[in-house]
Amino acid sequence: EEEGVRFLWLSAPASIELDEAGTAVAVHATAMRLGPAEASGRRAPEPEPGTGMRLEADMVGKALGFDPE
């Protein structure tokens, strides 16, 4: 966050908007909410209707991770 990175928890990216040069200019995302608990007790995220958003960006990093290194 001190480098200007913005984290939006409970949100799901939908697409990356590119300009004519192919450079990322925005991320389209949807806010999520935790649904009811499943049999295991886990509350799975589900889309929050009507919360589509466009987030301007000058750089987008795609990353998947489950454990810190």
Side-chain angles (χ1 to χ4, degrees), residues 9-57:
W9 306 112
L10 278 176
S11 59
S15 64
I16 298 173
E17 183 179 329
L18 307 175
D19 64 13
E20 46 291 327
T23 303
V25 295
V27 176
H28 294 262
T30 301
M32 306 292 279
R33 65 176 174 219
L34 293 176
E38 299 172 347
S40 67
R42 179 180 178 269
R43 295 177 62 194
E46 55 187 36
E48 184 77 44
T51 61
M53 59 190 118
R54 181 183 183 272
L55 306 163
E56 291 187 17

